[in-house]
PDB file of all heavy atoms in Angstrom:
ATOM      1  N   ASP F  48     -10.267  22.771 -11.736  1.00 95.00           N
ATOM      2  CA  ASP F  48     -10.329  21.711 -12.731  1.00 95.00           C
ATOM      3  C   ASP F  48     -10.712  20.380 -12.055  1.00 95.00           C
ATOM      4  O   ASP F  48      -9.979  19.880 -11.203  1.00 95.00           O
ATOM      5  CB  ASP F  48      -8.938  21.596 -13.382  1.00 95.00           C
ATOM      6  CG  ASP F  48      -8.965  20.716 -14.609  1.00 95.00           C
ATOM      7  OD1 ASP F  48      -9.885  19.885 -14.715  1.00 95.00           O
ATOM      8  OD2 ASP F  48      -8.055  20.866 -15.444  1.00 95.00           O
ATOM      9  N   ARG F  49     -11.843  19.811 -12.460  1.00 96.00           N
ATOM     10  CA  ARG F  49     -12.309  18.566 -11.834  1.00 96.00           C
ATOM     11  C   ARG F  49     -11.355  17.391 -12.073  1.00 96.00           C
ATOM     12  O   ARG F  49     -11.422  16.381 -11.366  1.00 96.00           O
ATOM     13  CB  ARG F  49     -13.695  18.189 -12.368  1.00 96.00           C
ATOM     14  CG  ARG F  49     -14.823  18.880 -11.655  1.00 96.00           C
ATOM     15  CD  ARG F  49     -16.145  18.526 -12.283  1.00 96.00           C
ATOM     16  NE  ARG F  49     -17.222  19.294 -11.673  1.00 96.00           N
ATOM     17  CZ  ARG F  49     -18.044  18.805 -10.742  1.00 96.00           C
ATOM     18  NH1 ARG F  49     -17.936  17.572 -10.341  1.00 96.00           N
ATOM     19  NH2 ARG F  49     -18.991  19.559 -10.229  1.00 96.00           N
ATOM     20  N   ALA F  50     -10.501  17.518 -13.088  1.00 96.00           N
ATOM     21  CA  ALA F  50      -9.543  16.433 -13.346  1.00 96.00           C
ATOM     22  C   ALA F  50      -8.664  16.197 -12.108  1.00 96.00           C
ATOM     23  O   ALA F  50      -8.220  15.067 -11.858  1.00 96.00           O
ATOM     24  CB  ALA F  50      -8.667  16.795 -14.541  1.00 96.00           C
ATOM     25  N   LEU F  51      -8.447  17.255 -11.306  1.00 97.00           N
ATOM     26  CA  LEU F  51      -7.630  17.104 -10.095  1.00 97.00           C
ATOM     27  C   LEU F  51      -8.295  16.177  -9.068  1.00 97.00           C
ATOM     28  O   LEU F  51      -7.618  15.534  -8.270  1.00 97.00           O
ATOM     29  CB  LEU F  51      -7.356  18.471  -9.465  1.00 97.00           C
ATOM     30  CG  LEU F  51      -6.208  19.249 -10.108  1.00 97.00           C
ATOM     31  CD1 LEU F  51      -6.217  20.705  -9.676  1.00 97.00           C
ATOM     32  CD2 LEU F  51      -4.872  18.613  -9.740  1.00 97.00           C
ATOM     33  N   VAL F  52      -9.631  16.144  -9.094  1.00 98.00           N
ATOM     34  CA  VAL F  52     -10.371  15.255  -8.177  1.00 98.00           C
ATOM     35  C   VAL F  52     -10.193  13.808  -8.638  1.00 98.00           C
ATOM     36  O   VAL F  52      -9.861  12.911  -7.856  1.00 98.00           O
ATOM     37  CB  VAL F  52     -11.872  15.627  -8.144  1.00 98.00           C
ATOM     38  CG1 VAL F  52     -12.630  14.717  -7.190  1.00 98.00           C
ATOM     39  CG2 VAL F  52     -12.053  17.092  -7.771  1.00 98.00           C
ATOM     40  N   LYS F  53     -10.390  13.591  -9.943  1.00 97.00           N
ATOM     41  CA  LYS F  53     -10.275  12.231 -10.504  1.00 97.00           C
ATOM     42  C   LYS F  53      -8.872  11.676 -10.263  1.00 97.00           C
ATOM     43  O   LYS F  53      -8.707  10.501  -9.915  1.00 97.00           O
ATOM     44  CB  LYS F  53     -10.562  12.250 -12.015  1.00 97.00           C
ATOM     45  CG  LYS F  53     -11.992  12.608 -12.353  1.00 97.00           C
ATOM     46  CD  LYS F  53     -12.900  11.370 -12.264  1.00 97.00           C
ATOM     47  CE  LYS F  53     -14.371  11.771 -12.333  1.00 97.00           C
ATOM     48  NZ  LYS F  53     -15.246  11.006 -11.490  1.00 97.00           N
ATOM     49  N   THR F  54      -7.854  12.531 -10.459  1.00 98.00           N
ATOM     50  CA  THR F  54      -6.481  12.055 -10.255  1.00 98.00           C
ATOM     51  C   THR F  54      -6.248  11.686  -8.794  1.00 98.00           C
ATOM     52  O   THR F  54      -5.604  10.676  -8.498  1.00 98.00           O
ATOM     53  CB  THR F  54      -5.473  13.162 -10.661  1.00 98.00           C
ATOM     54  OG1 THR F  54      -5.871  13.687 -11.916  1.00 98.00           O
ATOM     55  CG2 THR F  54      -4.067  12.636 -10.751  1.00 98.00           C
ATOM     56  N   ALA F  55      -6.791  12.519  -7.884  1.00 98.00           N
ATOM     57  CA  ALA F  55      -6.616  12.229  -6.453  1.00 98.00           C
ATOM     58  C   ALA F  55      -7.237  10.867  -6.114  1.00 98.00           C
ATOM     59  O   ALA F  55      -6.678  10.089  -5.336  1.00 98.00           O
ATOM     60  CB  ALA F  55      -7.251  13.332  -5.616  1.00 98.00           C
ATOM     61  N   VAL F  56      -8.386  10.557  -6.744  1.00 98.00           N
ATOM     62  CA  VAL F  56      -9.037   9.261  -6.508  1.00 98.00           C
ATOM     63  C   VAL F  56      -8.163   8.136  -7.068  1.00 98.00           C
ATOM     64  O   VAL F  56      -7.880   7.141  -6.380  1.00 98.00           O
ATOM     65  CB  VAL F  56     -10.442   9.213  -7.163  1.00 98.00           C
ATOM     66  CG1 VAL F  56     -11.043   7.820  -7.081  1.00 98.00           C
ATOM     67  CG2 VAL F  56     -11.374  10.230  -6.499  1.00 98.00           C
ATOM     68  N   SER F  57      -7.697   8.325  -8.306  1.00 97.00           N
ATOM     69  CA  SER F  57      -6.958   7.215  -8.950  1.00 97.00           C
ATOM     70  C   SER F  57      -5.615   6.946  -8.254  1.00 97.00           C
ATOM     71  O   SER F  57      -5.131   5.818  -8.250  1.00 97.00           O
ATOM     72  CB  SER F  57      -6.758   7.482 -10.440  1.00 97.00           C
ATOM     73  OG  SER F  57      -5.928   8.597 -10.595  1.00 97.00           O
ATOM     74  N   LEU F  58      -5.043   7.961  -7.623  1.00 97.00           N
ATOM     75  CA  LEU F  58      -3.782   7.740  -6.898  1.00 97.00           C
ATOM     76  C   LEU F  58      -4.012   7.096  -5.524  1.00 97.00           C
ATOM     77  O   LEU F  58      -3.065   6.719  -4.837  1.00 97.00           O
ATOM     78  CB  LEU F  58      -3.035   9.061  -6.711  1.00 97.00           C
ATOM     79  CG  LEU F  58      -2.392   9.676  -7.966  1.00 97.00           C
ATOM     80  CD1 LEU F  58      -1.845  11.068  -7.664  1.00 97.00           C
ATOM     81  CD2 LEU F  58      -1.276   8.785  -8.492  1.00 97.00           C
ATOM     82  N   GLY F  59      -5.271   7.038  -5.088  1.00 96.00           N
ATOM     83  CA  GLY F  59      -5.588   6.389  -3.806  1.00 96.00           C
ATOM     84  C   GLY F  59      -5.697   7.356  -2.638  1.00 96.00           C
ATOM     85  O   GLY F  59      -5.796   6.932  -1.486  1.00 96.00           O
ATOM     86  N   LEU F  60      -5.723   8.684  -2.933  1.00 97.00           N
ATOM     87  CA  LEU F  60      -5.821   9.656  -1.824  1.00 97.00           C
ATOM     88  C   LEU F  60      -7.148   9.525  -1.075  1.00 97.00           C
ATOM     89  O   LEU F  60      -7.185   9.592   0.156  1.00 97.00           O
ATOM     90  CB  LEU F  60      -5.701  11.080  -2.366  1.00 97.00           C
ATOM     91  CG  LEU F  60      -4.308  11.722  -2.393  1.00 97.00           C
ATOM     92  CD1 LEU F  60      -4.364  13.118  -2.982  1.00 97.00           C
ATOM     93  CD2 LEU F  60      -3.716  11.772  -0.996  1.00 97.00           C
ATOM     94  N   PHE F  61      -8.241   9.325  -1.831  1.00 97.00           N
ATOM     95  CA  PHE F  61      -9.555   9.290  -1.185  1.00 97.00           C
ATOM     96  C   PHE F  61      -9.711   8.077  -0.258  1.00 97.00           C
ATOM     97  O   PHE F  61     -10.469   8.137   0.693  1.00 97.00           O
ATOM     98  CB  PHE F  61     -10.668   9.325  -2.246  1.00 97.00           C
ATOM     99  CG  PHE F  61     -11.015  10.719  -2.703  1.00 97.00           C
ATOM    100  CD1 PHE F  61     -10.032  11.593  -3.122  1.00 97.00           C
ATOM    101  CD2 PHE F  61     -12.327  11.158  -2.696  1.00 97.00           C
ATOM    102  CE1 PHE F  61     -10.342  12.885  -3.534  1.00 97.00           C
ATOM    103  CE2 PHE F  61     -12.659  12.443  -3.108  1.00 97.00           C
ATOM    104  CZ  PHE F  61     -11.658  13.313  -3.523  1.00 97.00           C
ATOM    105  N   GLU F  62      -8.993   6.998  -0.567  1.00 95.00           N
ATOM    106  CA  GLU F  62      -9.057   5.833   0.346  1.00 95.00           C
ATOM    107  C   GLU F  62      -8.471   6.191   1.701  1.00 95.00           C
ATOM    108  O   GLU F  62      -8.826   5.628   2.727  1.00 95.00           O
ATOM    109  CB  GLU F  62      -8.258   4.667  -0.230  1.00 95.00           C
ATOM    110  CG  GLU F  62      -8.947   3.989  -1.388  1.00 95.00           C
ATOM    111  CD  GLU F  62      -7.981   3.101  -2.163  1.00 95.00           C
ATOM    112  OE1 GLU F  62      -7.075   2.522  -1.550  1.00 95.00           O
ATOM    113  OE2 GLU F  62      -8.137   3.031  -3.398  1.00 95.00           O
ATOM    114  N   LYS F  63      -7.520   7.126   1.690  1.00 95.00           N
ATOM    115  CA  LYS F  63      -6.925   7.559   2.964  1.00 95.00           C
ATOM    116  C   LYS F  63      -7.881   8.479   3.727  1.00 95.00           C
ATOM    117  O   LYS F  63      -7.868   8.514   4.950  1.00 95.00           O
ATOM    118  CB  LYS F  63      -5.612   8.329   2.716  1.00 95.00           C
ATOM    119  CG  LYS F  63      -4.622   7.625   1.818  1.00 95.00           C
ATOM    120  CD  LYS F  63      -3.717   6.724   2.625  1.00 95.00           C
ATOM    121  CE  LYS F  63      -2.705   6.032   1.735  1.00 95.00           C
ATOM    122  NZ  LYS F  63      -2.177   4.815   2.322  1.00 95.00           N
ATOM    123  N   PHE F  64      -8.699   9.258   2.968  1.00 96.00           N
ATOM    124  CA  PHE F  64      -9.608  10.208   3.642  1.00 96.00           C
ATOM    125  C   PHE F  64     -10.844   9.505   4.216  1.00 96.00           C
ATOM    126  O   PHE F  64     -11.389   9.931   5.217  1.00 96.00           O
ATOM    127  CB  PHE F  64     -10.125  11.280   2.661  1.00 96.00           C
ATOM    128  CG  PHE F  64      -9.051  12.066   1.962  1.00 96.00           C
ATOM    129  CD1 PHE F  64      -9.306  12.666   0.734  1.00 96.00           C
ATOM    130  CD2 PHE F  64      -7.804  12.229   2.530  1.00 96.00           C
ATOM    131  CE1 PHE F  64      -8.337  13.400   0.094  1.00 96.00           C
ATOM    132  CE2 PHE F  64      -6.819  12.959   1.896  1.00 96.00           C
ATOM    133  CZ  PHE F  64      -7.089  13.542   0.667  1.00 96.00           C
ATOM    134  N   PHE F  65     -11.308   8.480   3.506  1.00 96.00           N
ATOM    135  CA  PHE F  65     -12.552   7.803   3.921  1.00 96.00           C
ATOM    136  C   PHE F  65     -12.272   6.305   4.086  1.00 96.00           C
ATOM    137  O   PHE F  65     -12.714   5.479   3.290  1.00 96.00           O
ATOM    138  CB  PHE F  65     -13.645   8.052   2.864  1.00 96.00           C
ATOM    139  CG  PHE F  65     -13.906   9.517   2.605  1.00 96.00           C
ATOM    140  CD1 PHE F  65     -13.519  10.117   1.412  1.00 96.00           C
ATOM    141  CD2 PHE F  65     -14.535  10.300   3.564  1.00 96.00           C
ATOM    142  CE1 PHE F  65     -13.760  11.477   1.181  1.00 96.00           C
ATOM    143  CE2 PHE F  65     -14.784  11.657   3.336  1.00 96.00           C
ATOM    144  CZ  PHE F  65     -14.390  12.237   2.149  1.00 96.00           C
TER     145      PHE F  65
END
Side-chain angles (χ1 to χ4, degrees):
D48 191 338
R49 276 177 185 260
L51 278 166
V52 180
K53 294 277 169 217
T54 313
V56 172
S57 65
L58 288 173
L60 267 179
F61 276 51
E62 286 165 33
K63 309 271 181 202
F64 304 155
F65 304 109

